[in-house]
Amino acid sequence: MNLYYAIAAETDTTFWEDVWNYLYDVYLRVDGNYQNLGLEKMPLFSIRLLVLGIFAGIIIACVAMAYHKQILGGAVRRLIERGCLSPDKAMTARELGYLKNPLIKNALARSTSLRSVVKCVGEEEFYRQQTADMEAYEEKRKSEPKLPRYKKREYIVDTATDRFYIPEDKRARAEIKFEKKGSGWLSTVISIVVMIVAFFVLLLVLPQILGFLDDLFGGL
């Protein structure tokens, strides 16, 4: 602590000012003029933001893939393992062991990706009945044209009571789409850590890389 005060006294800056100055000098300072690369009007800070965006996109994609394969894929594999391949063998979230899992419950209710292969018995019955009601109503409107148009309703999935299954004809597609291989959480975390380290290393050496490329293209 005494060393800190001694340094602060010599520089007449606070600790946080020193931290900011360091971050600015290392990561934010606008320097370099890479005319041969066509980047003379693009500050280094903007290039670093572009690199950050690319790395962030890759990290988000890795997490999304792991979620797709592990969370959603886990539900698909459990439905198949439990033999839920027809309406009469469908199970509720409680029977599948997902009653207290908010991610799976939300996916069963709203995930377009998961619901493309996982069907809800109650929802199918609801829309089947609604279609029949709509057809009967439209027939009635032919004789009573002043009646308003039939208003369709959206089914609200109740994960506590609704039963879910994977139709037999969608089983192969579900197994391929939600295959577990190569998307474990451990490998995802390791990949993210490696990419974060690579990102900071790239930020540090980016001026040198751009300078080298600029000189190379200039020589050509």
Side-chain angles (χ1 to χ4, degrees):
M1 185 62 69
N2 292 333
L3 178 61
Y4 161 71
Y5 284 118
I7 295 175
E10 291 178 3
T11 59
D12 292 327
T13 59
T14 66
F15 171 76
W16 295 112
E17 287 174 333
D18 291 336
V19 170
W20 165 251
N21 290 334
Y22 171 78
L23 293 176
Y24 180 81
D25 289 336
V26 175
Y27 297 109
L28 304 180
R29 180 183 295 279
V30 177
D31 53 7
N33 186 18
Y34 313 107
Q35 296 181 359
N36 297 315
L37 295 177
L39 301 176
E40 65 275 9
K41 295 182 179 180
M42 189 175 188
L44 187 59
F45 178 46
S46 299
I47 299 174
R48 282 169 170 156
L49 284 180
L50 178 62
V51 173
L52 173 60
I54 294 173
F55 271 83
I58 295 174
I59 290 174
I60 291 173
C62 288
V63 174
M65 181 61 69
Y67 170 78
H68 179 85
K69 297 291 187 178
Q70 296 298 314
I71 303 299
L72 303 187
V76 167
R77 289 186 288 274
R78 184 168 299 185
L79 282 164
I80 294 175
E81 291 169 359
R82 300 285 179 88
C84 303
L85 302 174
S86 61
D88 59 304
K89 295 182 180 179
M91 291 185 177
T92 63
R94 179 188 294 277
E95 293 171 326
L96 292 168
Y98 290 130
L99 186 62
K100 296 182 179 180
N101 189 319
L103 293 177
I104 295 297
K105 289 173 64 177
N106 182 70
L108 288 172
R110 299 180 178 85
S111 172
T112 302
S113 177
L114 184 64
R115 294 300 304 282
S116 65
V117 295
V118 176
K119 303 302 177 183
C120 173
V121 176
E123 183 178 27
E124 292 181 316
E125 294 175 349
F126 173 85
Y127 285 118
R128 191 180 300 115
Q129 183 61 49
Q130 181 170 257
T131 299
D133 293 342
M134 183 175 65
E135 291 175 352
Y137 185 82
E138 291 301 324
E139 284 295 324
K140 184 177 180 181
R141 285 188 71 222
K142 290 179 180 179
S143 58
E144 301 180 41
K146 292 184 178 181
L147 287 174
R149 289 182 175 274
Y150 185 86
K151 186 176 181 180
K152 292 184 179 181
R153 295 170 295 157
E154 293 293 329
Y155 183 77
I156 300 176
V157 176
D158 184 351
T159 52
T161 59
D162 277 324
R163 296 179 297 123
F164 304 92
Y165 73 102
I166 298 175
E168 186 65 56
D169 60 347
K170 293 184 181 295
R171 175 176 179 173
R173 176 187 172 191
E175 290 177 331
I176 295 173
K177 185 175 182 179
F178 294 95
E179 183 183 9
K180 183 179 181 180
K181 184 179 178 180
S183 299
W185 286 114
L186 178 59
S187 62
T188 300
V189 171
I190 293 175
S191 298
I192 290 175
V193 171
V194 170
M195 282 188 288
I196 290 175
V197 173
F199 169 70
F200 281 104
V201 171
L202 181 58
L203 285 187
L204 290 173
V205 301
L206 188 59
Q208 289 77 13
I209 293 175
L210 292 176
F212 170 77
L213 293 176
D214 188 68
D215 292 338
L216 179 63
F217 278 94
L220 296 176

